[in-house]
Amino acid sequence: MATVLTAQLAQIAAKSTNPLDLKAQKRAHSKSLLFDQNVAASQDFDTIYQICIEGYQELCQMDKRFINFARSIFSEQSKTQERSQMTDAQNKELDEVLESFLSLVGARLLLRPALKAVEWLVRRFRVHEHNILCLTLTFLPYHTMPIFATLLSIFPENIPPPLKFLHPYIKSFACPPRHTIVYTAIHNQTFFSALNSYMMKASSAGHHYAAFVSCWATIMTEAVAGLIDESLSGRREIQRKKEEDILLRILPFLNEGLAKREVPDLRVGCYMILTVVASKLALSEKVLLAMMEAVVMNWTPNTTHAGLICLVVLSQRRQNVHLPKKILKAVMSIQGIENDLSVLSEQYRVDKFVIGLVLGTLDRIQEVDLYRLTFVRMAIEGRFMSNTHIVLAIRAIVAAAKNSEAAPEGDQDLQGQLADLILRLMDSEIVGSLVQDTIRETKTDMESLEAKLQMVLVPKDKQQDQTTEDIEMDEVTEEPQLQTLESISHHIPTRTAYEISLLSHSQSYVYGSLSKAFLLASSSPFELEKFSDLPVLRKTLALSEPLFFSFFIRYWCGPHSAGSRASAIMSVQNYLSVQNVTADLQMLFPYIIYALADPSIKVRHAASELSLKLASTYLELGDDKKEFVGPILGSDNIYGSGSETKGVSWLSIADASRFVREILIPNLEEIRQDENHVARLLVDSLDGPHQSKGLQTPAKGLRNSTKGAILVSVGSHIVYTPIYRVKFRLLSMLNRISKVGGVSKSKTLLPLLLAQEKENEKSVTDHCEAEDIDKSRFFGEVVKIVAPNDRDGIRILQRIIALDDSLPPVSLQRAAVHQVRNLWPSTKPDAQVSFAETLLALTLTESTVGQADDIQGDALEVLRVVPVSANTLHHLLGTIPALPAMSGDGPAQTKRRRTSNGHVQSHDDRPSEGMQHALRHITIVLELVEASKNATNSVLTRELFQVLMNLQHSKVQLGIELGYLQSLVLRSLYRIVEQSKATADIQLDRSAVRPDVIVECFRTASNTQVQQAALMLMSSLATVIPELIIHSVMPVFTFMSTGLLRQSDDYSAHIIDQTIESIIPPLVEALRKQKGGPLAGASGLLLSFVAAFEHIPNHRRNGLFSSLIDKLGPEEFLFALLVLLLDRYGDSREINQFIQAFTSQYSPLIQLKTMEKYLEVVLDSLKPKPTVSSHFLTFGDGRTRTSTAMNLLSLPPNIFRAPRLISRSARLLSDKSDDVVQLRQIYSNLVEATLLLAEQVRPYTKLPSACDLMLDALLGLLSLGESINSLEILLKRGNTNVQRQVLRSLEHRIGTESAGNHAAQEACINFLAELSFILESSSDLLLLHSATSCIDRIIERYGKKDVEAVWAVMKVVASNMCLGADDSRLRIMALLCLSTSVEVLGEAIILIIPHALPKAMDHLEAILGGEDVDSSMHNAAYSFLGSLLLYIPWIMTGPYLDRALKTSHESANAGLPADCNVARKEVLNLIAKQAGPQECFGALLRTWDSAMVEGPDAVSEHLEILQLTIERQPKSVIAKHSQSLLNLFLKVFDLRRIQCSPRTTDSYDNEEMDEVEKISDDVAIKMIYKLNDAIFRPLFVKILEWATTPTGTKEKQGKIFRQISWYTFLHAFFNTLKSIVTNYASFIIEDAVKVLNTISTNDPDSVTLWSRVIAALTSSFEHDQDEFWQAPSHFAAIFPPLLAQLSHGALHKDSPDLIPCITALAVAADSPDHHKSLNAAILAHMRSDNAAVRLAAVQCEMSLTGKLGEEWLSLLPEMLPFISELQEDDDERVEREVGTWILQIEGILGESLDSMLL
């Protein structure tokens, strides 16, 4: 393990430079931004300086700040500065200067002068090595430009950690994309910090520029976002820790950046980062406020907009909307802040920020300029905030107004500004209503607020333009705050003309003026007193006429401020306090009750005080024991002198006194606190015993007469008072009371309902708007007067509801309609019927009233909502009219006109008005019936069927579509039927049921809903009264296929399922009773569904057909459905997929039974007269029985191969249940049917293959073991044809079964006994074939599991019954089976071999000896032999092996097909590999003659066996059997002699001999490789002696043949073993010389021998590396006879090997003496008389010259005379060759021979 010192030394070594490494210095010097590497390497520093200083000088002209670097890094002395020779302090100082220059030059790097200047820093100071981080960050804004790639190309291999991400781009010279830089900033903290530090340092030095700031901002923004995103994982504690770390990393540089006021772009970038941080992190209030303060700190006009965006985002993340003073001041100091916020609001949410500004402004209203209130108004009206925030702002404004103080004279009028702000907001069209609602909801005391602000705060839309009878109030209107009571009282008349009560129904001319004056006087008690004394009020007559009190009553009941209303009440109280009351003041009671329910507590308090005063007044007047004889004030004229006053009912003095003292006074404290208390008090006091919490009712209780009198009195005032506010509030109280004693509330208040009925719509609207009440709510209280048992009231309501000529107010009509809804549950049945008729008539009435449609809609809604009884529905159904005829001529008339003259006349098919009215009537009634919960009563059945029949009749007659109405009737009937099934006490009226009408509706309907409803009804009826429905259902299913079955909605599917569930079971029962059976009848039903199959949505098909088949019975009808589907749609992928999925839901037994019946249909369809299939299949239109059967047969394979069926069948068989036997029986029946079908369709073309596919799939259905168990039944039936096919099928199935299936193993092994029995007992050859083949397959797959069973069956196979049979095919199967069994039985087969192997050889020899060779038998026999050699090779010895080899020789010579040759060669190879060497070599030797006789192919295979044996055996074995091999090779080498002496027609030709010798030589060489010299040399000598020894009488010719073979071997021997065996040439020199000296050119065999000797010598010469031929004894012995061969000129033309041989000898005998001897001998032949000899000599010299070159030309002097002679030779060829030789010599010597030649 390396030590610390070792690591430090390694670092030093990596950073250090070797001054002696010149190459490294040159490479470093060649790094350049401007020049190619080669050019840069050649430049010195003077040249570089001159180039770069020009760029620097141009930079100085652009920016004077560059001049500071002229005396340092760009001085003349800089050319000699070497960083390696400078101290650390000097280098540090230099780094500061270089980095300062880089940050300054960064803005101009795209300019050529800047690059020149940076080039100097690179070349001289190597900033790309020592300042690489600063240099990279300088170039970073240009990372997408080529200059950055150039920069990367000069970087060193080791770069600092912050820049490690650049490694891939340095190698590829590519520019890094931005996302890579961002990713690095996220994950590389050092790069993140370095980039921020560089940015801050550059900006501090003033070297910042827009491109870099923008680059920094975008990278940092995305990096911070990425950091935050990565922190949002793990537990919350971990997330919090990560978020804190992020803040610690980014906040320091953000604070530093925000502090740089002079760098606006940097501040904007910091704003962006802050925005991201705030958006993604859940920051605390403290952190958010700190960020906001940092944003506004030192911001400038250039950065305020971006700063505002940041502030808006930060504000939205805060919980508290209030802003600190510092932030508020900074923001509000921006000119035009409203415009900025308006722009920002279009892109961001600014509500929290704006509400913070508004609240801050209002909180410091005393400190800020009042024009800031303009901002507040614009902020509210500009809708920058949500309604919630606007409410907060309004409340803050009101609070500021309440807390404001009057300003000293000369100061800003704060109160006036606030009042103006409130008024403007109240009058605003944008937020005015919201402001008013907010002020009202806050229960602000408007009186005190108005008094505080000294202004009336009433919006313009609530100010009434009231005028007096003789003056205009323009001045008051224009300047309300400047008017006083004195100024306005001058304009008020001193008396009224005719008015004695301001509660009169006639118009008042003084009330408007008086109310304005009272408003001004209400804030001061002194002013109120002055107002009360106005002459016009006639205060002195207050107790005799109601004028005085009526003004104050009207005022406090009007839409005025709470304070002024309370002042009006107090004015009455003050008057009563100082006056001696002599009149009954009960006229005040209704209005005091009104005031006690006022929302303002101030008003309620004043009313309570007035009530107390009245109580004391009644005490003074007397109690109930003495009669008061004084007048009742206003009893004659309170509401004028007309009938209104006369209709008022007054209380007795006693009742009045008790009302005040016993009802009001005890509960005044609660009334003050709760505005609703007085209503509860009044109800509980009058309505009897029930008490409300907190109420103090009289202990003894009021008498009923008193209660009734109070009810009548208050009710009469409600009826006749002109003030709608009073009517509305008091009505809401009394409507809670139904009856008091014998007094009915309805009777008392009905005059009000009658009066409102006659009232004009506009008049009511004006009153309600003037008094600020909701008109609909008012009428809602008015109609509540009517009670359920009030017949008069109900008649009035009906009259109001009816749209007749009286035309009551529309709002009253709508209220009356809604009141009917409230009254309905409590009304009597006859009243409900009456109301229903009225409402129905209203919905059907055509009216021109503007809002009639709304009223009709309300009436219809009431009918739909209220619980309509069955009796009412029955009555409404009875009102349904018959449909009138359509306008114009009917459809038939139209047709006649069109066909008569050929033109269609215009015809209006639109329904008439009567038709439309009738349709609407029917629709409404039927919808009511359908929606009603009471529509399940069976009494409606007859009426509904009658309506349905009429609709169907009208549809047919009129030709119009009434689908919706029919569906309504059908659904209603369905509900009735369903209810009758669910409830036993409801009996369906069977006589009223009309199935024929339902079917007709279904049949003629084009509307899917009608069909659905009809089916639902039929389904429901089928379960209740099936005997009535069963005869009508078939048409239903017929027409279902054309419509409903094609729908994809869930409801249609539900209807179809219910139809099937309800109708099919009784239908099937009925079909069973028919003569033709259920199949004949059900075929039509199934066909209906099948016809619709392609239109049924995919996701509905399975469920639909499952429901159908489940109800029909899958065992009986499933096959019929499958037949129909295939027959209609054919073998399509869609159909097959559906059927597989569909049938898979049924049990295996059902599926197999279905397939059994399915095949019966197929078989039946092929009969001349089909029976069952005639119900399902259609023929014609090109569809034949064959095509139909082919189509049907495509399905079973897919069914049988279904994985689900296979798995479920296996589970069933494993359960050992009772169904197992049945399953096996069905399975065997299916197999038999399939086989019989296959036999029957054999004459057809394509059907047999389809049956084969089906059988294959069927056999794969069950496991192999179960298949065998199931099919044993068929094997025992005796039908050989079926038995054959079963066995063939089982054979195929066994071949595909997994070998690891233990159950299959056991079944197959057990099955062998059955197969053995078949072999022994059957005489059918085809069956025997199948059995034997099946045995073979079983043994192959599972034989090793039970050897004894295999041996037993193989004993039968090897007997005469199979192997000895006369049938060749059976013998072949037996041989194959034996071959397979050898592997299984191994040595256990020995007892069978003595009988089997001879028979196999006999069969093989028999076919080879015949005319036609049976290749199958041949291959089967060799397969058996191969198995024996492979598994028990020791048995193949002696005669067996010899016989096998001899037979193979015959096979090789028989010209058999390629597969036979392959089979034979495989066995021969096994002999070589498996047989022992002794046995193999001996057999090869013994059978050589046989091979030689059979021909070269047999010999070649014989030698291949020998070669494989030699290659396989080790050296020791080869050495041990070397003598046997010698004998064998002597026979091989003697092959030429035997074949050629003498030659016959059967002899081998030369090519065959050469090929055999080539093979034998190769085999001999391979043998020699495994022998050492000690063993091989004697063998070599023996072969030499054998080759040179005479062979008998014809010894000469025989010897030549042997020598040819021998020297052919020697050529290969020397050529292969090369120099290793060169010394073996000593044994052949003598014989070779003899051959050369005794050559007979006339004998072809002798010439052949001569050429083989020359070739052998050449190979020996060429591979002599031990100077063997250089030895004088060897050279002297060979060269004379060899050179003498040149004299045989005739041989040279046919055998060009001599000259290369002489050349090879010259090269091997590398000696001047030997060369001289050779040269002399060759030159001697140049003077031969034979031109061919001379030519050969010249060519030999040329070869030697070319091979030996100058070494041979040392003998040139001896050659020159001969050359000269030959230049003039008589033979042109010689002369030409000599010329070529001369040129060759001149080319080698380099000089001409002309001077040397004579």
Side-chain angles (χ1 to χ4, degrees), residues 312-377:
V312 165
V313 176
L314 292 173
S315 297
Q316 291 299 128
R317 304 292 292 177
R318 295 183 60 213
Q319 300 297 324
N320 187 7
V321 297
H322 290 81
L323 295 175
K325 180 179 179 180
K326 183 177 181 180
I327 298 173
L328 181 67
K329 183 178 179 181
V331 174
M332 296 307 296
S333 64
I334 299 174
Q335 296 294 329
I337 181 64
E338 302 88 354
N339 298 330
D340 290 337
L341 291 176
S342 177
V343 173
L344 291 179
S345 65
E346 296 177 358
Q347 300 177 356
Y348 307 95
R349 284 190 59 185
V350 299
D351 49 348
K352 285 191 175 182
F353 181 61
V354 173
I355 189 60
L357 295 177
V358 170
L359 295 179
T361 300
L362 295 173
D363 290 343
R364 299 170 179 82
I365 193 65
Q366 302 289 345
E367 306 172 13
V368 300
D369 295 334
L370 293 182
Y371 78 86
R372 297 278 179 84
L373 295 178
T374 303
F375 165 76
V376 174
R377 179 176 61 81

Side-chain angles (χ1 to χ4, degrees), residues 1097-1108:
N1098 292 338
H1099 65 286
R1100 300 290 184 209
R1101 291 174 178 171
N1102 202 336
L1104 173 62
F1105 283 95
S1106 296
S1107 178
L1108 175 64

Side-chain angles (χ1 to χ4, degrees), residues 1323-1616:
S1323 60
D1324 186 86
L1325 288 177
L1326 295 178
L1327 180 59
L1328 293 175
H1329 295 166
S1330 300
T1332 308
S1333 180
C1334 193
I1335 291 171
D1336 180 59
R1337 187 57 57 88
I1338 292 175
I1339 294 174
E1340 179 185 359
R1341 302 292 289 177
Y1342 308 113
K1344 293 182 180 180
K1345 304 301 178 182
D1346 193 339
V1347 176
E1348 294 182 1
V1350 174
W1351 188 88
V1353 73
M1354 290 313 302
K1355 185 177 179 182
V1356 177
V1357 172
S1359 66
N1360 292 331
M1361 298 176 185
C1362 290
L1363 185 61
D1366 295 334
D1367 183 68
S1368 61
R1369 184 179 174 187
L1370 185 57
R1371 293 200 299 266
I1372 292 171
M1373 296 303 303
L1375 285 172
L1376 293 175
C1377 192
L1378 285 168
S1379 176
T1380 305
S1381 65
V1382 171
E1383 178 184 0
V1384 175
L1385 297 176
E1387 295 182 358
I1389 203 173
I1390 294 176
L1391 297 178
I1392 302 175
I1393 293 300
H1395 178 75
L1397 184 57
K1399 282 186 176 296
M1401 298 302 297
D1402 292 342
H1403 295 330
L1404 182 59
E1405 291 173 353
I1407 62 167
L1408 291 175
E1411 296 181 359
D1412 297 327
V1413 178
D1414 188 348
S1415 58
S1416 298
M1417 177 67 75
H1418 175 278
N1419 295 342
Y1422 271 103
S1423 176
F1424 179 45
L1425 293 176
S1427 298
L1428 291 174
L1429 286 168
L1430 188 61
Y1431 297 106
I1432 46 175
W1434 50 267
I1435 206 167
M1436 291 292 292
T1437 58
Y1440 288 147
L1441 188 57
D1442 291 352
R1443 191 174 181 184
L1445 288 174
K1446 292 178 179 179
T1447 307
S1448 297
H1449 298 156
E1450 295 181 28
S1451 174
N1453 194 37
L1456 299 178
D1459 59 331
C1460 295
N1461 295 330
V1462 171
R1464 180 185 64 255
K1465 290 181 179 179
E1466 288 179 352
V1467 171
L1468 295 178
N1469 291 340
L1470 286 174
I1471 292 174
K1473 294 178 181 179
Q1474 299 294 105
Q1478 183 176 354
E1479 292 291 336
C1480 186
F1481 293 147
L1484 290 174
L1485 181 61
R1486 291 191 299 271
T1487 59
W1488 168 255
D1489 293 339
S1490 172
M1492 183 175 59
V1493 170
E1494 294 297 334
D1497 292 335
V1499 171
S1500 298
E1501 292 181 3
H1502 202 82
L1503 292 174
E1504 286 177 5
I1505 299 173
L1506 177 61
Q1507 179 179 341
L1508 289 174
T1509 306
I1510 292 173
E1511 289 176 348
R1512 182 176 173 273
Q1513 300 301 328
K1515 293 181 180 180
S1516 59
V1517 174
I1518 301 300
K1520 181 179 178 181
H1521 298 90
S1522 60
Q1523 190 59 46
S1524 298
L1525 290 172
L1526 174 63
N1527 296 333
L1528 178 58
F1529 275 106
L1530 289 177
K1531 285 194 171 187
V1532 172
F1533 289 154
D1534 204 30
L1535 176 64
R1536 180 180 289 270
R1537 181 188 67 79
I1538 296 172
Q1539 289 294 321
C1540 297
S1541 55
R1543 291 182 181 274
T1544 65
T1545 55
D1546 295 330
S1547 298
Y1548 298 178
D1549 57 27
N1550 291 332
E1551 293 181 357
E1552 292 174 342
M1553 283 300 307
D1554 292 341
E1555 182 65 25
V1556 170
E1557 287 181 346
K1558 182 177 183 303
I1559 296 174
S1560 63
D1561 292 345
D1562 291 340
V1563 175
I1565 296 298
K1566 291 186 182 297
M1567 180 195 69
I1568 294 170
Y1569 278 142
K1570 295 195 174 186
L1571 299 176
N1572 55 32
D1573 183 71
I1575 297 174
F1576 177 65
R1577 190 174 294 270
L1579 299 179
F1580 186 86
V1581 173
K1582 288 182 180 180
I1583 298 174
L1584 175 63
E1585 291 177 353
W1586 171 83
T1588 56
T1589 301
T1591 59
T1593 57
K1594 299 181 179 179
E1595 59 183 25
K1596 181 178 180 180
Q1597 201 64 25
K1599 181 180 178 181
I1600 291 175
F1601 290 132
R1602 282 187 177 181
Q1603 286 179 316
I1604 291 174
S1605 299
W1606 169 241
Y1607 281 102
T1608 301
F1609 164 74
L1610 288 176
H1611 173 64
F1613 176 71
F1614 288 122
N1615 214 29
T1616 303

Side-chain angles (χ1 to χ4, degrees), residues 770-941:
E771 299 186 31
D772 194 20
I773 62 175
D774 189 297
K775 181 172 62 174
S776 60
R777 293 179 60 193
F778 171 72
F779 281 126
E781 293 296 335
V782 171
V783 296
K784 287 181 182 179
I785 295 172
V786 180
N789 56 354
D790 185 4
R791 292 183 177 274
D792 295 336
I794 288 176
R795 282 196 297 270
I796 295 172
L797 279 182
Q798 291 178 355
R799 188 170 66 244
I800 293 172
I801 291 171
L803 290 174
D804 54 16
D805 296 336
S806 61
L807 296 180
V810 176
S811 299
L812 178 61
Q813 290 178 313
R814 299 190 68 179
V817 171
H818 288 289
Q819 180 62 9
V820 171
R821 177 177 178 177
N822 298 328
L823 295 175
W824 188 280
S826 303
T827 55
K828 297 179 180 180
D830 58 339
Q832 290 182 355
V833 172
S834 178
F835 269 135
E837 288 182 350
T838 304
L839 292 173
L840 179 60
L842 176 60
T843 60
L844 298 175
T845 302
E846 297 292 336
S847 176
T848 58
V849 180
Q851 298 184 1
D853 292 339
D854 293 337
I855 300 171
Q856 292 171 348
D858 293 342
L860 183 59
E861 180 66 20
V862 170
L863 285 174
R864 289 173 175 169
V865 171
V866 298
V868 183
S869 65
N871 185 41
T872 304
L873 293 175
H874 186 272
H875 182 81
L876 293 178
L877 285 172
T879 65
I880 291 180
L883 291 177
M886 297 179 65
S887 61
D889 297 328
Q893 197 77 352
T894 304
K895 183 176 181 180
R896 282 197 299 269
R897 286 197 302 271
R898 180 173 62 247
T899 56
S900 61
N901 54 20
H903 299 282
V904 179
Q905 298 179 0
S906 62
H907 174 66
D908 188 4
D909 288 335
R910 293 175 299 175
S912 63
E913 294 182 1
M915 172 70 75
Q916 294 178 357
H917 186 276
L919 288 174
R920 178 168 174 78
H921 188 162
I922 299 172
T923 302
I924 292 174
V925 173
L926 292 180
E927 286 178 345
L928 291 176
V929 173
E930 183 194 32
S932 176
K933 296 180 180 179
N934 299 318
T936 57
N937 198 312
S938 60
V939 298
L940 303 178
T941 306

